[in-house]
Structures are given as C-alpha cells and as structure tokens.
Amino acid sequence: MLFVLLLSIFIAILTVRDSLILATIFLIITIIIWFRQKKIKPSKRLLISVLTFFVSIFAVRLRQSIYIPEITQNKIFWVAKITNIHDSNSYIVDYNNQNFFLETDKKFQLGDNLLIEWNIASGFTWNILDIQNQRKNLTRLSAYKFSYTKRLVTKNIKWTIYPTNTILQSKNKIWLISQVKTNLQSKIIHSYWENRVSWLILWMLIWDKSILPAIDYENFRDSGLVHIIAVSGWNIVMIVIFLSFILFFLPFYVRIIVILFTIIFYALLCWLDSSVLRATIMWWLGLVALLVGRNMDKWRILAIAYVSMLVYNPYYLAYDIWFLFSFSAVIGIIIIDDYRRWIQMITEEDKGDLLPPDKPSDFTEDKADKGGCLQNKTSLALYRWRRHMLIRRENVQIIRKHISTYLIPSLWATIGIFPFMMFFVWKINLISIFWNLLILPI
C-alpha cells in the first residue's frame, strides 16, 4: 500500500509538474518523517521510498526516450504508413517505427503509404534530466491543466503533424490485428450502414471511433453514460464466459491457455486501451493463479495491475481519464463486495436464532384445535411464529441479495468515478446516477 501511494505521488510530480527537483524534495521530506517516528523502524519504509523514487524516474525517462523525438527541421517530407484510424479526420501513422498523429481532411485507409509534406508539428519535449529549465519553473505555482500533448503520450504517439500536402503513394499489407479490425468494421457498416447503430457497436465492441461523430460523443459525455458504452472489463468477462462455455470439451489447462491468448488478442484489437489493458492484466493474473493452483487476493491483483501500468506508461495517471475511471470503479465494486461478504458472514452466524424448533412428536395441530394441554398449544404457537419469521426473513434476504448483487455494485462504481468526472468534466448529470443503476446491471 505504501509503495503504491508513494509511486503515485512521485509520478504525479514528474508528469504534472515536470520537476525532478520537486520529486527529490518530496523524497527528502518522507525520509525525515520516517526517521522522526521513533516507534517504527525506518529502514523498510526508507527502502520503499527510495525504490519508488527511482522506479518513477525510470518509468518517465523510458517513456520520454522512446516516444518523444527531437524535430529540428522547418520543412520535412516523410513517407509514413497508416497504422490506425482515430476518427474521420485523424490518423495514426508510423515513421521509423514511431507513432505520430496526423490531422488531414483527406480520406485514407489502413495500410496506406503516404507522402507527407509538413512544416508545423506540436509535441511534448520536456526532459526529466534538464535541471536548468526546471530551476526556472520551480517557483511557478499553477493548478492542474490538462495537456493534450501528454494525453497523446498515453497512446504512444510522439507528435501531432499538420501537413501542407498529403499524397497516397501505395497500399501495403496490414497486420492480422488491423485486418481483423478492418473486416469487422466493414461488415458492421454493411449490415447497419454508417449510422448511429454501427458506430455504437464498433465503439462498444472494439473501441473503434473512426466513424463516431464528435457531437454524439459530446452528448454521451455530457449525459454521464460514456463509460457504459466504452470498452472495459465487462468485454473481457463476456469473452471468458463465452469461451468457457464453447470450449467445455477441452481439458481444463488447455482451455485456460486458449482464453489467456484470446484475451491478449482482444486487447491488441482494442489498441491496448487503458481500461482494456487493466482488465487484461487482472484476468491474466487471476487465470494464471488458477492455472498453478494458487489463490490471489483481489487487492493484490489490482495493485499489481496499477503499478505495472504506471511503470509501462506513467502519463496514464493524470492524462488518461479511462485509466482513472476503470480503477476507481473496480475499487468501489471491491469495497462493497468485501462489505457484503462481511455482512453475510455475520447474518449466517445469527441465522440459527430464528430456526423453528422441532414440532412435538406426540402432538399434532388437530389435537391443539380440539383442546390440548396449554403447554403443547404454546409450543405449537411458538413453532408457527418462528416458521413465519423464517419465511419472511428468507423473502427479505432474496430481495436484499438481488439489490446487493446488481444495484449496489453499480452504485458504488458510479460513486467511484464521481470525483474524477467532476474534476475532469467539471459537471455531472444527476439523472445519470439513476440511469447507471438501471443500465449497468443489464
């Protein structure tokens, strides 16, 4: 828990404030706090603080060295290949095995080789080792501001290119993942035409927003229901359930291995979006633990997924809202699930108080009606009352079970994402809370 907390703080300082100096100051403060606590040995916490400090620096520096280039020319000609379609006017192009964001009004397809002439580009050029520039900004205090360039870093995109001319040169073969995605898109558009049904299915199925109108996305975002139709862990759950059902004839270990590789294929099909990546890591850990016969705690699986994703891309923490939505919703669901299990354990211990006693062996209800002894009548009345209370309690428990199984997790998932929605969107639709309770269980 301490490792996760400190790692989050260090990464937030390095990615939001862009200051290695502030991160070092925070490390010194934590070390002083550990040494001032006499009752606790500071050696373990000191080791965790130093370790998280260097892990965060390594993660940020690795992301910068790999995905942030230095562009010095004023006019450049590139031959780049389209690897993904972001929306109707934006493409992801590959140049020298590096991703760039291309904005153009022309229409292209996956695998197209383009001759791009451009002289304007925007990108994130901060270097964590540039101490001299960090000293200038050390006294400049400002509130959090969303950076679109850092948001692109979460998608492994270096710069945004604004071309003056774009020419189609040739068409290349595309990868299997892109080919499956293209075929699926064409079949859905052919079946439902290019309307709201088709883009909604593509968005919910494979996180494809290439034909999604901007106005419709804004309407979903303002309604507070955008996280419901987004690709998330529920898609992985459906895949696991479906494959477990149709592959019942395979041996257990073979079936688990097939499911594991299918989950990876689906994550690649969704372009390793943060919410899908989180679900993929958690399901992989859970299924591998099941495969080797070990039981892993839910909180430990969640912590491993959180740390591994931040090490892979530290800019997830402050510039990927789906990353925050995904983990906050899962945390809310796990909290209420643990609470429900604790309540269930307590109620099962108290359940014996209302169990009806054995009916008297030498006494029947007919004899009591004809005039039995007072003691037998009292025993039978007590028996009837306890039986009635037990049936009533069972009916109440059935209702509570349905509420706790479907409505309560949906409510806590909504509560989990509520602070981040208010922070990033600056508004909340109160009706969306009601719709979340109805739609999420379905």
Side-chain angles (χ1 to χ4, degrees), residues 73-118:
Q73 303 179 30
N74 294 326
K75 193 172 184 180
I76 299 179
F77 292 88
W78 277 0
V79 176
K81 177 183 176 181
I82 295 180
T83 57
N84 201 353
I85 302 176
H86 184 262
D87 54 38
S88 57
N89 296 322
S90 302
Y91 303 90
I92 311 300
V93 297
D94 177 80
Y95 177 75
N96 287 340
N97 297 323
Q98 299 172 354
N99 293 325
F100 294 86
F101 200 70
L102 175 67
E103 292 191 355
T104 178
D105 295 333
K106 297 182 180 180
K107 302 297 181 182
F108 299 104
Q109 296 179 354
L110 286 175
D112 290 350
N113 278 341
L114 306 179
L115 176 61
I116 305 172
E117 177 186 351
W118 61 274

Side-chain angles (χ1 to χ4, degrees), residues 13 59 244 336 400:
I13 295 174
S244 300
I336 194 60
R400 290 177 60 184

